Amino acid sequence: MTDGLDKIINWVDDFLKKRLSLILLLAGIILLILGPILGVALKAVPVAYLPNQVVPAASQGNMNDAFRYPIILLKDQKLTIEFSANDDNTDVELVILGKGAYENAFGGAPPATGEYFLASHFMDPGLGGAREALQSADINQDGYFYIEFLGDGDGGSDRIWSVPGTYYIVVSVDAGGLDATISITIKIGGPGELLQAIFVISGSIMVGFFLCAVAIYLFDRWGR
Amino acid sequence: MAEKKKEYAKKDGFFEKLPQMDKEKATRYVVKGLVAAVIFATIMMVSGAIALNATAWSNLFNQYNSEGFLAGLYGYHEYLEIGRQITLIRLGMQSQQIYVVNIARIGANIALVFIAIGFIGFAINEKLDSRTRWTCLIIAGIILIVMLFGTFFTQFNINFS
């Protein structure tokens, strides 16, 4: 028992004298700092930033003319869309269609409603109006939508949930108006959370190991 | 069989060594025990403080979360997700006390045994004057009584404030 303890104390003594111990501590601290930064930076990866896209008038009557963007969602992966339009007297509509609905509608008019997504209104989150589960985002003249999409949702409870699959973002303009200029930013859930967890856990283990070694060293030194 | 018993008797066991404990060795026991007790007591205090302040922490971060949503940094779904994470971490902060304090308590008890052995070592040292030896014996006794009561009765606590 004493031999075992002595072996550990000797090993710790040697370990703390080596440069490896400082490298371990520094690496641990760097990982602990980098983890949250990477987590935030890679939480949502931008896949498209498309400002000033012209969508022809009457594209609501023909899917071929509409703005279309395909996207593949994995389980629990979230799509964030920032959609805005500023056009006088023009009705612009964004819908997110599943692959089946999209292929069914292709060649004809895009459907007026798609899968449910959650639109946020940045007011007090305790108020009911802070969110709205919708099947289409309609802008008349001026408007902005911050959309979170997981695959499907429910309009009554304003909730969305994950349904993995292939989806199409479709933006069309009413036949009665003019061509519309829209801006759309699309972000998809990245590996941020996973990386953050790996970095923080690894960093904590490294720093914790170093602190344990220091505690054993002090325990031995002060007790001599 | 009898020879074996004799062999065992010849070997200096832990209790056989106690009467020969010199002043330096006893001091070493006390200091080692004190260092270990301080480390484990600090762990217990930190763990308790984390658990005690978990609600204040979660209130602060819930407010940050609301401010982040109001500023348009993220959407409502993410706001809900962050809120759930805050609740989960708060519960973790509160429940870590169960594991950390109990593990640290084992360490603190072992440290107290070290200290008690050190004081017993002083008490049985014939080179010291009798008053010091008596004092050390009483201290060792108090430490052991506190430790035993603390181990067997969960409602037994000594608080210094």
Side-chain angles (χ1 to χ4, degrees):
Chain A
M1 181 70 182
T2 320
D3 285 349
L5 200 65
D6 282 342
K7 268 183 191 172
I8 293 170
I9 289 167
N10 287 336
W11 186 86
V12 165
D13 212 24
D14 290 342
F15 169 73
L16 287 174
K17 278 175 191 161
K18 285 178 190 167
R19 197 176 286 176
L20 179 72
S21 61
L22 269 181
I23 292 170
L24 191 82
L25 177 68
L26 279 175
I29 292 168
I30 289 167
L31 286 180
L32 281 175
I33 295 167
L34 271 181
I37 295 169
L38 278 178
V40 172
L42 297 176
K43 187 160 191 171
V45 182
V47 288
Y49 171 62
L50 306 164
N52 306 321
Q53 294 289 304
V54 178
V55 185
S59 51
Q60 255 171 34
N62 191 349
M63 181 82 95
N64 287 331
D65 295 335
F67 169 86
R68 307 183 305 273
Y69 198 93
I71 208 93
I72 295 169
L73 279 186
L74 304 174
K75 192 170 176 293
D76 284 331
Q77 200 172 24
K78 192 174 77 178
L79 193 69
T80 308
I81 305 163
E82 287 185 63
F83 167 58
S84 64
N86 302 89
D87 283 293
D88 184 27
N89 196 26
T90 306
D91 287 328
V92 187
E93 185 183 71
L94 179 145
V95 288
I96 304 173
L97 302 174
K99 194 167 180 278
Y102 177 80
E103 284 173 356
N104 189 39
F106 204 81
T113 56
E115 303 295 344
Y116 274 102
F117 52 79
L118 197 68
S120 297
H121 306 294
F122 299 113
M123 57 172 81
D124 184 349
L127 301 172
R131 82 281 187 184
E132 205 177 357
L134 300 169
Q135 286 179 293
S136 69
D138 298 289
I139 295 176
N140 178 263
Q141 201 162 312
D142 298 306
Y144 167 82
F145 276 89
Y146 187 98
I147 292 165
E148 289 167 291
F149 179 69
L150 284 172
D152 204 1
D154 172 48
S157 59
D158 289 333
R159 288 179 189 279
I160 51 170
W161 53 80
S162 177
V163 180
T166 305
Y167 294 92
Y168 291 84
I169 300 162
V170 178
V171 182
S172 54
V173 178
D174 187 25
L178 305 165
D179 288 358
T181 308
I182 62 158
S183 292
I184 191 162
T185 306
I186 302 164
K187 289 177 187 170
I188 196 160
E193 277 182 33
L194 180 71
L195 281 177
Q196 182 174 348
I198 292 170
F199 274 51
V200 168
I201 290 168
S202 312
S204 304
I205 290 170
M206 286 178 185
V207 174
F209 186 79
F210 181 84
L211 290 177
C212 281
V214 170
I216 292 169
Y217 177 81
L218 291 178
F219 175 74
D220 181 51
R221 279 295 139 115
W222 290 349
R224 256 182 211 175
Chain B
M1 194 67 180
E3 280 175 11
K4 262 193 175 180
K5 271 186 182 175
K6 272 182 188 176
E7 265 180 41
Y8 281 127
K10 271 180 193 174
K11 280 184 183 174
D12 283 346
F14 176 73
F15 292 105
E16 282 73 29
K17 276 181 185 171
L18 266 182
Q20 285 99 51
M21 191 182 275
D22 55 19
K23 207 172 129 188
E24 278 179 12
K25 200 172 182 184
T27 312
R28 217 178 296 154
Y29 265 93
V30 172
V31 174
K32 274 190 177 178
L34 275 175
V35 172
V38 166
I39 290 169
F40 286 115
T42 310
I43 291 170
M44 281 199 272
M45 298 279 271
V46 170
S47 171
I50 289 171
L52 195 70
N53 293 301
T55 309
W57 176 88
S58 76
N59 287 343
L60 176 69
F61 276 79
N62 276 325
Q63 192 57 39
Y64 277 137
N65 191 18
S66 296
E67 298 295 332
F69 176 75
L70 276 170
L73 296 179
Y74 39 77
Y76 192 80
H77 187 261
E78 192 159 340
Y79 163 79
L80 290 179
E81 271 188 352
I82 294 170
R84 274 196 291 270
Q85 285 286 324
I86 291 170
T87 307
L88 193 67
I89 293 170
R90 177 176 59 78
L91 293 172
M93 285 164 83
Q94 284 169 339
S95 59
Q96 54 79 30
Q97 200 182 13
I98 301 164
Y99 310 103
V100 176
V101 167
N102 281 311
I103 292 166
R105 191 171 284 167
I106 297 168
N109 276 348
I110 292 168
L112 286 175
V113 170
F114 264 70
I115 297 169
I117 289 170
F119 278 112
I120 291 168
F122 285 127
I124 56 176
N125 193 327
E126 288 168 359
K127 288 174 189 168
L128 297 171
D129 64 283
S130 65
R131 196 173 286 179
T132 312
R133 289 173 66 188
W134 268 110
T135 312
C136 289
L137 191 65
I138 290 164
I139 293 170
I142 290 169
I143 289 168
L144 286 174
I145 287 166
V146 167
M147 203 188 78
L148 288 173
F149 270 81
T151 309
F152 292 119
F153 304 101
T154 50
Q155 294 301 312
F156 180 82
N157 278 308
I158 294 177
N159 290 313
F160 298 98
S161 56

